[in-house]
């Protein structure tokens, strides 16, 4: 069943879809009066609706039932991702949203190969936010995860350290695994900091430690920068009962 987000809750049992979503409904899906769809207000509510009619470039819908969204985990996971090269971040954002991340924050690491200028980075962030929205609709999320403004590694570590479980995924960690760090705990918020190609420089590991993050390992194998966040998110969701 088609699923879209709306900017504000329905009024008097009626909801209006605008913008690109309305265009998709009317021009791509060519929905007809009486067809069913799901609208989500981004605040944890799903509205089972019937498409009524098009009014210019907007779509008017009748609410049939209100239900709590089922697609949100009970733990808030923020992914802090070192800027990778090419279009790898597109894939990372999409899959992180599917796995339950509530926020993705890119940061510039010492070993980041990609170093776009401010204008290019703004365009990339706009693209990542669009990808996050589309992924949220596809996988049944109850909100659209945020793609935050790019930070330095120090800023990202300091922000991540405010979470209940701030985890620094470090390839040189030999003692503590990510499951060990989470086992027996029920954190309300988790931060995952993952480096770009080439991992973290030793100075960055020290910066994360001084900020209050815990260094953890994902195991004996070195994962690609686009694989590591998916593995880490899967572990967090499993250990917290969300997978």
């Amino acid at each position: 069943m088609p699923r879209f987000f709306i900017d504000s809750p329905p009024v008097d049992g009626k909801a209006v879809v605008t913008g690109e979503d309305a265009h998709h409904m009317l021009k791509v899906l060519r929905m007809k009066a009486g067809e069913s769809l799901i609208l989500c207000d981004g605040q944890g509510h799903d509205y089972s609706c019937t498409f009524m009619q098009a009014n210019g470039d907007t779509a008017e819908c009748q609410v049939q039932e209100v239900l709590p969204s089922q697609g949100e985990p009970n733990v808030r996971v923020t992914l802090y991702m070192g800027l990778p090269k090419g279009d790898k971040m597109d894939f990372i954002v999409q899959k992180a949203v599917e796995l339950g991340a509530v926020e993705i924050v890119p940061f510039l690491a010492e070993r980041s190969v990609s170093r776009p200028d401010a204008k290019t980075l703004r365009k990339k962030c706009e693209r990542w936010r669009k990808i996050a929205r589309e992924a949220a609709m596809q996988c049944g999320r109850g909100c659209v995860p945020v793609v935050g403004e790019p930070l330095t590694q120090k800023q990202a570590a300091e922000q991540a350290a405010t979470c209940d479980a701030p985890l620094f995924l470090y390839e040189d960690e030999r003692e503590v695994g990510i499951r060990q760090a989470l086992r027996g705990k029920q954190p309300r918020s988790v931060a995952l900091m993952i480096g770009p190609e080439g991992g973290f420089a030793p100075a960055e590991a020290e910066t994360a430690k001084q900020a209050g993050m815990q260094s953890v390992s994902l195991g004996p194998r070195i994962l690609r920068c686009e694989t590591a966040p998916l593995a880490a998110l899967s572990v967090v969701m499993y250990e917290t009962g969300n997978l």
Side-chain angles (χ1 to χ4, degrees):
M1 186 180 299
R3 181 183 180 88
F4 302 96
F5 284 93
I6 49 178
D7 296 327
S8 57
V11 177
D12 296 330
K14 292 181 173 58
V16 176
V17 183
T18 61
E20 292 185 7
D21 288 348
H23 178 271
H24 190 76
M25 287 177 59
L26 303 175
K27 304 299 183 182
V28 179
L29 297 180
R30 299 184 181 277
M31 293 190 71
K32 297 178 175 58
E35 291 189 321
S36 299
L37 69 156
I38 299 292
L39 299 179
C40 180
D41 62 7
Q43 304 298 317
H45 301 99
D46 286 348
Y47 301 88
S48 178
C49 297
T50 301
F51 173 54
M52 296 169 59
Q53 62 182 1
N55 186 0
D57 58 356
T58 64
E60 298 179 358
C61 303
Q62 178 70 48
V63 176
Q64 304 297 337
E65 187 178 13
V66 183
L67 300 167
S69 296
Q70 300 297 313
E72 290 305 306
N74 60 18
V75 59
R76 294 181 57 83
V77 182
T78 302
L79 172 64
Y80 292 86
M81 186 71 214
L83 278 175
K85 62 184 179 181
D87 59 359
K88 292 179 181 177
M89 193 69 173
D90 293 7
F91 174 84
I92 292 169
V93 169
Q94 182 188 67
K95 301 310 175 188
V97 170
E98 291 180 25
L99 285 167
V102 298
E103 186 172 6
I104 301 102
V105 181
F107 67 88
L108 191 63
E110 183 176 323
R111 295 174 180 171
S112 289
V113 175
S114 177
R115 294 181 177 276
D117 58 32
K119 182 178 180 180
T120 302
L121 196 52
R122 281 196 299 271
K123 289 183 178 180
K124 284 180 176 288
C125 285
E126 290 173 3
R127 174 174 173 76
W128 296 332
R129 287 166 185 146
K130 183 177 181 180
I131 289 171
R133 182 181 178 86
E134 291 172 349
M137 288 193 295
Q138 179 274 323
C139 71
R141 292 291 298 270
C143 69
V144 179
V146 175
V147 176
E149 293 296 322
L151 304 175
T152 65
Q153 193 263 339
K154 184 175 185 295
Q155 290 172 329
E158 291 172 347
Q159 189 178 103
T162 63
C163 289
D164 293 343
L167 306 180
F168 179 75
L169 281 294
Y170 192 34
E171 61 272 18
D172 287 342
E173 174 61 46
R174 297 289 183 267
E175 296 182 3
V176 181
I178 185 171
R179 291 179 62 198
Q180 183 181 346
L182 291 168
R183 185 59 54 85
K185 300 177 182 177
Q186 286 296 323
R188 292 171 299 175
S189 59
V190 175
L192 299 171
M193 176 170 280
I194 296 172
E197 300 89 350
F200 288 105
E204 292 176 316
E206 184 61 27
T207 295
K209 180 180 178 180
Q210 290 181 357
M213 300 195 73
Q214 180 179 8
S215 176
V216 298
S217 168
L218 266 176
R221 293 168 297 280
I222 302 298
L223 304 182
R224 292 179 181 271
C225 69
E226 65 268 36
T227 307
L230 311 189
L233 277 162
S234 296
V235 172
V236 171
M237 292 302 165
Y238 182 80
E239 290 295 334
T240 57
N242 287 286
L243 191 65

